[in-house]
């Protein structure tokens, strides 16, 4: 319970529901056991230390993408959590220079490809 209370839940109630649902599935006894990885991988939500609005927006989008496993479309996606349409999120990601780690975007004859 301490780990659940200490976490700031930037992904709102859906994130909490997912953690509790996972615990229900993985628990074998009468006691609800939270995934041990939860406490080790979750960061406390930090307030931005000033800077440009675009820097704060970029970091927030990166945090939400990280929480969603870089899922932009589909159920539980980053656009939904941010309250944006998928196309709007993709536009902002491009504008802010955000791309999925390990992927390279190529533009050939006006068509964009992901490798």
């Amino acid at each position: 319970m301490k780990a659940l209370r200490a976490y700031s839940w930037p992904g709102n109630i859906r994130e909490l529901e997912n953690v509790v649902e996972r615990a229900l599935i993985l628990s074998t006894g009468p006691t609800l056991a939270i995934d041990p990885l939860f406490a080790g991988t979750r960061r406390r939500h930090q307030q931005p230390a000033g800077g440009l609005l675009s820097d704060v927006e970029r970091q927030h989008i990166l945090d939400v993408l990280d929480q969603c496993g870089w899922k932009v479309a589909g159920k539980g996606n980053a656009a939904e959590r941010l309250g944006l349409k998928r196309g709007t999120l993709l536009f902002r990601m491009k504008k802010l220079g955000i791309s999925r780690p390990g992927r390279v975007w190529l533009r050939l004859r006006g068509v964009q490809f992901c490798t």
Side-chain angles (χ1 to χ4, degrees):
M1 287 301 287
K2 287 181 185 178
L4 294 175
R5 286 188 186 139
Y7 189 58
S8 67
W9 301 103
N12 65 39
I13 192 69
R14 287 187 197 104
E15 188 176 4
L16 174 59
E17 287 174 348
N18 290 338
V19 170
V20 172
E21 182 179 2
R22 180 173 172 81
L24 286 170
I25 292 168
L26 296 177
S27 294
T28 56
T31 304
L32 186 66
I34 300 296
D35 187 353
L37 295 176
F38 172 78
T41 60
R42 304 290 177 165
R43 310 186 297 260
R44 284 180 94 44
H45 186 68
Q46 299 173 357
Q47 293 295 330
L52 298 174
L53 179 59
S54 60
D55 294 338
V56 175
E57 181 182 19
R58 183 178 198 283
Q59 188 57 52
H60 182 60
I61 290 172
L62 283 168
D63 289 344
V64 172
L65 285 166
D66 188 44
Q67 293 167 12
C68 296
W70 286 82
K71 191 174 172 185
V72 176
K75 188 176 180 180
N77 65 67
E80 183 180 277
R81 288 187 183 190
L82 290 166
L84 301 172
K85 292 183 179 179
R86 179 183 163 273
T88 303
L89 176 57
L90 292 172
F91 173 79
R92 288 191 184 173
M93 288 172 62
K94 185 175 180 180
K95 182 180 102 180
L96 296 168
I98 298 172
S99 62
R100 187 174 184 160
R103 293 201 174 176
V104 178
W105 289 93
L106 302 173
R107 182 173 214 108
L108 301 171
R109 298 184 183 172
V111 179
Q112 198 167 358
F113 296 93
C114 179
T115 60

